Amino acid sequence: MTKAPFRLALAPLAIAAALITTPAHAGGVKAGTLIENTASATYDGGAGPVTIPSNTITVKVDELLDVTVTSRDSGPVSAAPGSAVLTFELTNTGNGPEAYTLTANPAVAGNDFDTTVNGIAVDTNGNGVYDPGVDQMLTGPATTAAIAADASLTVFVLVTIPGGVADGDQSDVSLLAEAVTGTGAPGTAFAGQGAGGGNAIVGSTGANATATGSLSVGITDVDLIKSATVRDPFGGTGIVPGATITYAIRAEVKGSGSVSDLVVTDAAPADTTYVAGSLKLDGAILTDAADADAGRSSTSGISVDLGTVSGGSSRTVTFQVTID
């Protein structure tokens, strides 16, 4: 009697189900996922085809511990002595939920000065901006809630810049994130401490990561310099009734930062009358009315809103009055 060839095959449906229903993560298959596999064999013993299963092998995917931290600031944060905020993003690149302990270090080699760290907060409302009284402050040791695999968390480091710093001084602050379950060399295992009761295995990052945020001191001052020229009705410079006085007010902004809401005002001197239509900013005529441009004027004086002005630049306001 000739027997049919013996064939051994893996059950494709069981494998497909495990792969299709499990989403992909930065660290691979989700921690705690059960991977099941059953083999089968078919043969003909003379009474017709027979199919028999093997025992089912079930393995549980361990949790991979990995993390990245990056600065979300586009460059050094410009600040003056006082409070400042550095923004970071923490991402769980493992395959299971994990909490992280955060440590901010203001004493980075090469700093022109060191800040004082006042606390670490998480972006509770998700707007990417630190909101005092809204965003949650982490208490020491500063530890996040568990972050899902592939999820990110915005973190704020709140610092104080000391007095006595100079314009242009810079300082770095580093933020270290460490997996609460544990850190170590890649491959280090923590038995039974992974998601779903499996093991936790340290991934390629060592389950810790560091990023650096930078501060740049911008101390800005404004000098206001006023000058006047006189032209009398006879073409000379006599200070007589009917003469016109042209006032020039130059706002010089010094430093590497900027000032905001800079407004230049000047009252018309007693015994003079404002010359309608004479108000100018950097040589461009401004209307006297309170409208869309920066200036406004009346018999009592002038006002020009310069808004935000960067250090190293200047703006000049001019206007005229006649001596009564």
Side-chain angles (χ1 to χ4, degrees):
M1 179 179 66
T2 302
K3 293 186 178 180
F6 182 84
R7 297 192 299 274
L8 179 63
L10 297 177
L13 292 179
I15 297 175
L19 294 177
I20 292 172
T21 59
T22 303
H25 293 272
V29 177
K30 185 177 179 181
T33 298
L34 299 178
I35 297 179
E36 298 180 343
N37 177 263
T38 304
S40 65
T42 61
Y43 66 93
D44 189 339
V50 177
T51 300
I52 60 170
S54 73
N55 58 301
T56 298
I57 298 296
T58 301
V59 296
K60 180 182 292 185
V61 175
D62 290 331
E63 180 180 353
L64 192 64
L65 302 173
D66 267 326
V67 61
T68 62
V69 181
T70 57
S71 171
R72 290 193 60 183
D73 298 318
S74 58
V77 174
S78 180
S83 299
V85 178
L86 294 167
T87 305
F88 297 86
E89 183 172 83
L90 184 157
T91 301
N92 177 3
T93 53
N95 66 340
E98 184 65 28
Y100 298 91
T101 299
L102 306 179
T103 305
N105 175 26
V108 177
N111 280 352
D112 294 322
F113 64 93
D114 292 337
T115 63
T116 299
V117 175
N118 301 318
I120 300 174
V122 297
D123 188 9
T124 305
N125 57 12
N127 66 354
V129 178
Y130 174 62
D131 298 308
V134 176
D135 293 325
Q136 177 192 1
M137 295 294 298
L138 300 178
T139 56
T143 304
T144 71
I147 303 172
D150 280 336
S152 297
L153 184 68
T154 298
V155 176
F156 306 110
V157 177
L158 314 180
V159 301
T160 297
I161 298 171
V165 294
D167 185 49
D169 280 355
Q170 295 203 1
S171 179
D172 290 341
V173 177
S174 66
L175 179 66
L176 168 67
E178 299 174 286
V180 168
T181 298
T183 62
T188 301
F190 300 94
Q193 296 186 45
N199 297 331
I201 309 295
V202 174
S204 60
T205 64
N208 68 88
T210 302
T212 300
S214 299
L215 295 158
S216 179
V217 174
I219 298 177
T220 310
D221 295 317
V222 179
D223 287 341
L224 206 58
I225 305 164
K226 185 175 181 179
S227 61
T229 58
V230 178
R231 178 67 64 183
D232 66 31
F234 316 109
T237 58
I239 304 173
V240 296
T244 299
I245 305 175
T246 300
Y247 291 110
I249 307 167
R250 187 171 75 254
E252 295 183 349
V253 182
K254 300 178 179 180
S256 61
S258 63
V259 295
S260 58
D261 302 322
L262 178 57
V263 179
V264 173
T265 60
D266 197 1
D271 299 320
T272 68
T273 300
Y274 170 72
V275 176
S278 66
L279 182 62
K280 296 179 181 180
L281 174 60
D282 297 330
I285 296 174
L286 302 175
T287 60
D288 292 330
D291 50 24
D293 70 20
R296 64 186 64 185
S297 58
S298 66
T299 56
S300 61
I302 61 95
S303 174
V304 179
D305 187 348
L306 302 180
T308 299
V309 182
S310 299
S313 61
S314 65
R315 307 296 300 274
T316 300
V317 173
T318 58
F319 69 99
Q320 295 178 329
V321 298
T322 56
I323 299 175
D324 296 338

